[in-house]
Amino acid sequence: KDIAHSGLKDRPAVIRQWLSLPAKHGAQLPDSGDGWHILERQLNERKLRVGAHRHNQFAITLRDIDADPTAIESALAELARDGFPNHFGEQRFGHSNRDKAQRWVERGQLPKKHDERAQTLSTLRAAAYNAQLDARRVADALHTPQPGDRAMLAGSNSHFTIEAVDDALLARLESGDIGGWLPGKEKSALPPAVSAWLETADAAQQAAVQYLQKYADGGWRALTVRPRDLQYDWQDAHTLHLAFTLPRGSYATAL
């Protein structure tokens, strides 16, 4: 419990990340072990907290590609310019988290264990957000702000309600995005697009949202995200190396 991290990285990967532990244990910690090696040590005044980092950097090699390189390069250019749908990746849900969470909705109860309670609420919120995002994507409205939408400022959790869509707003959104609802206790009115999605959602989804509105805190998450420093290199005709930076909470698998 004394070892802390800002975010856990993917298991099937070569990764570099900061971990923290009380300084009194530093002298006992070897420089390397089975599958790990300490690159750097620093003293700090406090332990790491989840989400304290701003970004994650990725370097991924895609192999056995069977597609037109020109089409892929065009898609990458569009992705760098307009961003990509900011889905929660499948790894957020694990193998059976959705089914387990839905059973708690059916019971109308919260799990007693803290970890299971947190996992249940986060799974339901992520699933509801993804469904809302997909509905907006089908309507071709991911990049089209509407009156009543929430606008989010890049690099922060700040957001404001869009009163009218004009040139000034569009200029502000060049460095931000439209926010998607993370269902929970919401004091202000929901955007019309969110209300429309909720009205057409199936019974299970509506029940999950009602459950979240009773037990979870609401929030907002950008519907799209733009990768920083996107670079690519063809190592051969079927192997592409990608490197990019994403803000915390966004998934390389979604990119």
Side-chain angles (χ1 to χ4, degrees), residues 222-239:
L223 290 174
T224 59
V225 62
R226 296 171 183 83
R228 281 179 37 200
D229 306 323
L230 178 64
Q231 301 175 27
Y232 66 89
D233 175 51
W234 288 99
Q235 298 183 347
D236 59 47
H238 304 286
T239 307

Side-chain angles (χ1 to χ4, degrees), residues 91-102 119-120 123:
Q91 62 267 50
R92 176 64 176 264
F93 303 104
H95 296 294
S96 57
N97 289 353
R98 296 188 207 204
D99 292 338
K100 291 178 182 177
Q102 199 62 41
Q119 185 178 74
T120 295
T123 297

Side-chain angles (χ1 to χ4, degrees), residues 19-247:
L19 300 173
S20 72
L21 72 164
K24 64 184 180 182
H25 300 308
Q28 302 170 253
L29 192 65
D31 287 329
S32 61
D34 184 14
W36 58 270
H37 178 70
I38 294 178
L39 301 175
E40 184 178 346
R41 299 175 185 239
Q42 288 189 15
L43 291 175
N44 195 37
E45 293 181 352
R46 60 180 69 89
K47 69 187 296 185
L48 284 173
R49 301 292 182 185
V50 173
H53 64 297
R54 294 188 180 94
H55 306 96
N56 289 309
Q57 294 173 310
F58 296 91
I60 298 175
T61 300
L62 304 176
R63 308 180 195 279
D64 302 322
I65 294 173
D66 183 16
D68 178 12
T70 303
I72 290 179
E73 291 174 13
S74 176
L76 287 171
E78 181 179 345
L79 189 151
R81 182 184 68 247
D82 299 331
F84 60 92
N86 194 20
H87 283 105
F88 285 98
E90 281 301 312
Q91 62 267 50
R92 176 64 176 264
F93 303 104
H95 296 294
S96 57
N97 289 353
R98 296 188 207 204
D99 292 338
K100 291 178 182 177
Q102 199 62 41
R103 286 197 287 271
W104 283 108
V105 172
E106 293 165 2
R107 296 175 194 148
Q109 299 174 336
L110 273 178
K112 292 183 179 179
K113 295 181 180 178
H114 177 271
D115 289 350
E116 187 177 4
R117 185 164 63 246
Q119 185 178 74
T120 295
L121 295 177
S122 66
T123 297
L124 291 170
R125 289 208 318 171
Y129 167 89
N130 277 2
Q132 178 192 157
L133 172 56
D134 287 337
R136 187 131 185 173
R137 188 180 186 184
V138 168
D140 196 22
L142 274 184
H143 303 285
T144 309
Q146 303 169 9
D149 278 345
R150 295 294 178 91
M152 302 196 67
L153 303 180
S156 75
N157 291 322
S158 300
H159 53 84
F160 62 90
T161 301
I162 296 174
E163 303 293 344
V165 179
D166 53 24
D167 290 342
L169 172 76
L170 295 176
R172 291 189 74 179
L173 282 180
E174 286 184 1
S175 60
D177 212 327
I178 303 166
W181 185 43
L182 295 168
K185 302 168 187 175
E186 185 63 34
K187 297 179 181 178
S188 55
L190 293 175
V194 175
S195 297
W197 159 74
L198 195 51
E199 288 174 5
T200 59
D202 60 29
Q205 184 68 86
Q206 291 184 357
V209 170
Q210 292 172 4
Y211 179 90
L212 289 166
Q213 288 178 311
K214 182 177 180 180
Y215 293 120
D217 293 326
W220 298 89
R221 172 183 171 91
L223 290 174
T224 59
V225 62
R226 296 171 183 83
R228 281 179 37 200
D229 306 323
L230 178 64
Q231 301 175 27
Y232 66 89
D233 175 51
W234 288 99
Q235 298 183 347
D236 59 47
H238 304 286
T239 307
L240 178 65
H241 184 264
L242 289 175
F244 52 90
T245 299
L246 297 179

